[in-house]
Amino acid sequence: MSAAQKRSGAVRKSKKGPSVGTGGYGRKALEGKGPTPKAEDRPYHKAFKNKELAERSAAKRAPSKGGAPSRGRSGGRAKGSEELVTGRNSVVEALRAGIPAKAMYIAIRIDVDERVRESLKIAAERGIPVMETGKPELDRMTDEAIHQGLVLQIPPYDYKDALETVKSTIAKFNKGHVKNAPLFIALDGITDPRNLGAIIRSASAFNAHAVIVPERRSVGLTASAWKTSAGAAVRVPVTRAPNLNSTLKGMKEAGVFVIGLDGDGDVSLPDLGLATEPLCIVVGSEGKGLSRLVRENCDSIVSIPINSGMESLNASMAVGITLYEVSRKRSV
């Protein structure tokens, strides 16, 4: 080894045997900090602040009971029990229809057109919080649905109990606080939200007091149903029956007559003699009609006279015709 190498220390004598370790003291540092938290879970991130603002605003506007949020799915992924309406056309139509909204999310640097302008205008008029959000976050929220930079968050609908609503309406009628005899519509196996929306609209037009939907195997009040009802869902409460047959039995005990609509009914609608009594009209699905147990719980099965060439009427159309006839008989 040269003198220069000795001075610089360029050549070192290698150690014999294994090197001494840290004794495990550095293990934590090697493990890392785990996966990166979601944006809305990071207090320093804008998404976290947006989420807090949306929740505070919704809490201020949330009704105590009988509110009108919807549950289900429309052009986007249901987030828990909340619904996301996605796409510019869907969002602006939902806002025009007066559907209750918790918040509206708009993409940063969105290409603004008339639909976006109108959506922002309606949101401002109704006090709906508007959140500017990055496209990746909107993609994540909607499960990669086509959102066109615009997403509307709909809170869940607050359903009242069907039998409690029936008993409350009867009590008000007996005290003279309700002018018309109690009138209800119950749905048996209706799964199309547009049918529900149309039925709510007819119920509002002919002074029905509530629409009853079963808890299982039935459509709920989604954004699509809200739009089809043309705002009537604000005026007519949609109630929920944990078990439709038990609810029908309870209604009969409370003095309500239950009639089912079916093409093979034993009574023709023009001959219905129960129209002026407290009444519940039950309609089944177009394919299966009334279920066996529901049919057994009806006081009468009513048919609507139609041209023999027609196989059946749409459920919402059958309800509308029946409500008209009931209203006509009540006004005579």
Side-chain angles (χ1 to χ4, degrees):
M1 183 184 298
S2 68
Q5 285 176 329
K6 285 182 180 179
R7 283 195 301 270
S8 65
V11 177
R12 292 190 183 133
K13 201 172 181 181
S14 61
K15 292 182 180 178
K16 290 183 180 180
S19 59
V20 179
T22 64
Y25 293 112
R27 190 178 299 158
K28 268 189 182 177
L30 294 172
E31 287 177 357
K33 298 181 180 179
T36 303
K38 294 178 181 178
E40 63 265 30
D41 295 333
R42 286 179 265 165
Y44 52 84
H45 198 282
K46 185 177 180 181
F48 180 89
K49 296 175 182 176
N50 288 346
K51 181 183 175 184
E52 282 194 323
L53 179 60
E55 289 173 351
R56 285 199 300 270
S57 300
K60 287 179 183 177
R61 300 193 317 277
S64 56
K65 278 192 178 181
S70 87
R71 180 181 180 174
R73 178 173 181 160
S74 174
R77 175 176 62 87
K79 199 174 182 182
S81 58
E82 295 177 340
E83 182 179 358
L84 297 177
V85 178
T86 63
R88 300 186 183 195
N89 285 333
S90 298
V91 168
V92 74
E93 286 171 9
L95 289 169
R96 286 171 183 167
I99 296 175
K102 185 175 179 180
M104 187 171 78
Y105 295 87
I106 186 169
I108 298 170
R109 294 187 294 276
I110 188 173
D111 182 18
V112 178
D113 62 10
E114 288 302 318
R115 295 166 296 179
V116 174
R117 288 192 190 94
E118 185 176 354
S119 297
L120 288 169
K121 181 174 179 291
I122 297 174
E125 291 170 350
R126 291 176 51 189
I128 299 169
V130 177
M131 313 295 178
E132 271 197 315
T133 310
K135 185 180 180 298
E137 178 64 12
L138 292 178
D139 292 340
R140 189 194 66 78
M141 285 173 59
T142 61
D143 278 347
E144 305 292 335
I146 300 173
H147 51 73
Q148 300 173 302
L150 210 57
V151 176
L152 194 67
Q153 188 178 18
I154 311 297
Y157 186 80
D158 186 13
Y159 296 94
K160 293 182 179 179
D161 180 77
L163 196 53
E164 288 181 5
T165 302
V166 169
K167 291 178 179 179
S168 171
T169 304
I170 292 172
K172 290 177 183 176
F173 175 69
N174 292 336
K175 292 177 181 178
H177 299 158
V178 173
K179 182 179 178 182
N180 300 314
L183 179 59
F184 311 98
I185 301 102
L187 278 55
D188 178 25
I190 301 293
T191 56
D192 186 346
R194 291 168 296 184
N195 262 335
L196 173 58
I199 288 169
I200 295 171
R201 193 171 181 179
S202 295
S204 176
F206 295 108
N207 299 313
H209 295 97
V211 173
I212 300 168
V213 296
E215 197 169 277
R216 295 179 295 277
R217 295 185 295 277
S218 176
V219 67
L221 193 56
T222 65
S224 179
W226 265 100
K227 284 192 286 186
T228 309
S229 78
V234 175
R235 299 183 292 276
V236 180
V238 179
T239 63
R240 179 159 277 171
N243 182 290
L244 182 58
N245 286 295
S246 297
T247 299
L248 294 178
K249 289 176 183 178
M251 293 174 75
K252 290 166 71 172
E253 291 172 2
V256 178
F257 289 93
V258 179
I259 64 170
L261 300 183
D262 192 276
D264 298 325
D266 49 16
V267 176
S268 179
L269 181 60
D271 301 325
L272 180 63
L274 298 173
T276 56
E277 302 294 333
L279 196 65
C280 177
I281 301 166
V282 188
V283 59
S285 64
E286 291 179 52
K288 297 180 180 179
L290 296 172
S291 61
R292 180 182 60 82
L293 288 176
V294 167
R295 180 183 282 266
E296 290 174 2
N297 282 312
C298 291
D299 295 302
S300 183
I301 304 298
V302 178
S303 62
I304 300 172
I306 58 174
N307 188 306
S308 58
M310 282 289 293
E311 187 177 335
S312 65
L313 290 171
N314 172 279
S316 59
M317 188 179 296
V319 170
I321 293 170
T322 305
L323 286 172
Y324 168 77
E325 183 64 16
V326 168
S327 177
R328 189 186 68 81
K329 288 180 178 292
R330 287 184 172 190
S331 62
V332 173

